[in-house]
Amino acid sequence: MNYLICLAVAILGGLLLSRVAKKLHLPAVTAYLVAGLLLGPFCIGALGVKGLGFGSLEEVEAVSIICQVALGFIAFTIGNEFRLSQLKSMGSRAITIGITQAVVTTIVVDIILIAVHLIAPNVLSVSSAITLGAIASATAPAATLMVVRQYKADGPLTRLLMLVVAIDDAVGLLLFSASFGIANALEQGSISLIGILVEPTIEIILSLGVGALVGIALNYIERFFHSRSKRMAVSVAFVLLAVGLSDLKFTIGSIHCGFSLLLLCMMAGTIFCNICDTSEELMSRVDNWTVPMNILFFVISGAELDLRILANPFTLLIGVIYILARSAGKYYGSYSSCKLTHCNPAITKHLGITLLPQAGVALGMALTATSLSDGALVRNVVLFGVLVYELVGPALTKRSLTLAGEIKPEGKTSARRQNDPKLPVIIHKTNP
C-alpha cells in the first residue's frame, strides 16, 4: 500500500510541477526530475511520513523495475527511427557522427582527467580517469525522446539526433568495456582480451540477434488479432518480454554473456517497424499507453540521485571538470563530424548541445566501475554529472531544436476544449 501511494504521489507531483515548468518555458522532463528530488529520501522523504515520498534509497530501488520497463519502451520507440527510408537518406552520416562524437568525447575527457591526476595524484587515479572518459561518451535517450515528443519536434536535426542517440549506446558500450579493461589491467597488472574485446562484442551481437527475433515474433503474433486494443496489448507484452530477456546472464566457458536492454529493445522496434505495415499506428497507441510510466521513470530517476555527494568538495571539483570536459567533447566531436559529413549549418551548430543529457546508461557503467580502488569517487562524479545534465540538458535540447526551427511555438488551445465537439475551437495565432 505504501508503495502504491508513493507512486500515485510521484505521478501527481510530477504533473503538478510540469505546470510550473510550462510557465517557466522549461520541458516537462525537468519538472519530473525536480519532483523526484523533492520526493526523494533527502527532502520530503526524510520526514518519514508513509506514502509521502521515498524514505530511503532502498525504497527507491524497490520500484526501479518501473525504470527498466519504461526504458525498454523508450528504446523500442527509438527503433521506429531506423526505418529503411531513414537509413537510406542519413544512415551512413548518423553512423559516422555517432562514432566520432563518442570517441572524441572519450579522448577529451581522458586527456583532461589524466592531467588532473598528474597535478594531484592522490585525488584521482589514472584508472578512474580512463573509466570516466568512457562513461562520458554515453548519452541518455530518454530525456531527448521526451523533449522531442512533448514539443512534437521534427526536421533534419531531430531525425539525425534520434539515430545518433541510438548508435551512441553501442559505441559507448564498446568504449567502456575497453577502457574499464585497461583500468583493471593498470590496477591488477594483467590485461584480459576477453573482457576488453570479446565480451562486449558478444553482448552487442546477442542483443541485436535476440531483439531481431522478438521483432519478427511480434509481427507474426499480432496478425492473429484485428482489434486495435488487442494488438496494442500484444505489443506491450512483447516489449515486457524483451525487457525481461535483457536481464538474463550466462557463462560459456570463461566468457560472461549478457544483453544490453537498450540495444535489444531498439532492435526489436527496428525490425517490427520495417516489416509491419501498421507499425506507425501501433507505435502511436503504445506511446499513449506508456505516458504515466515515463513520468514515473523520471521522477524515480530524480529520487535515486544521492544528494550527499554535494558535501564532498573533491567530488564537486572533479565533477565540474568532468562536466566541462564532456560538454566540450560532445560539442566539438559533433561539430567536426558534421562538417566532415557535410551537414547543413543548423545541424552542425546545434547537434552537440542536444547530446548532453546523461542518465541511466552512465549510472550503470559507474556501478560497474565501483570495483576500482577509488570506484566510489567515479560513481559520485557520474552522479553529480547526471544531476546537472538531467536538470539542464532537456532545456538546452529544447533551445537547440527551437533555434534550428524544428519546434513550433507552443499553442494555448485547451485539449479538453479541442476534444469537445460542442465547444468552438479557438486558435491563437502566433507570429512566425
Side-chain angles (χ1 to χ4, degrees), residues 37 41-42 57 300-311 315 363 379-380 383-384 386-387:
L37 287 171
F42 304 101
L57 290 174
I300 293 171
S301 296
E304 68 183 358
L305 292 176
D306 192 342
L307 297 184
R308 290 173 296 188
I309 59 174
L310 301 177
T315 298
L363 290 174
R379 178 181 176 275
N380 289 337
L383 272 172
F384 178 66
V386 167
L387 175 63

Side-chain angles (χ1 to χ4, degrees), residues 63-72 261 296-298 300-301 304:
V63 294
S64 62
I65 190 173
I66 295 175
C67 293
Q68 295 293 97
V69 173
L71 200 56
L261 184 151
L296 282 175
F297 172 80
F298 288 102
I300 293 171
S301 296
E304 68 183 358

Side-chain angles (χ1 to χ4, degrees), residues 26-34 142-147 150 298 390 394:
L26 293 173
V29 176
T30 304
Y32 303 151
L33 289 162
V34 172
T144 304
L145 180 63
M146 289 294 284
V147 172
Q150 180 184 352
F298 288 102
E390 286 296 272

Side-chain angles (χ1 to χ4, degrees), residues 340-369:
L340 182 67
T341 54
H342 308 291
C343 293
N344 68 52
I347 293 176
T348 302
K349 183 178 180 181
H350 298 295
L351 180 62
I353 299 297
T354 62
L355 295 173
L356 291 182
Q358 189 176 48
V361 177
L363 290 174
M365 293 176 177
L367 186 62
T368 303

Side-chain angles (χ1 to χ4, degrees), residues 76 211-226 230-231 234-235 238 241 268 271-279 282:
F76 184 73
L213 291 176
V214 170
I216 293 170
L218 171 57
N219 178 61
Y220 178 76
I221 297 296
E222 64 90 22
R223 292 179 180 179
F224 291 99
F225 301 92
H226 305 289
K230 288 180 179 178
R231 292 172 69 200
V234 172
S235 301
F238 269 85
L241 173 64
I271 295 298
F272 176 68
C273 289
N274 280 287
I275 63 178
C276 178
D277 296 332
T278 58
S279 60
L282 280 172

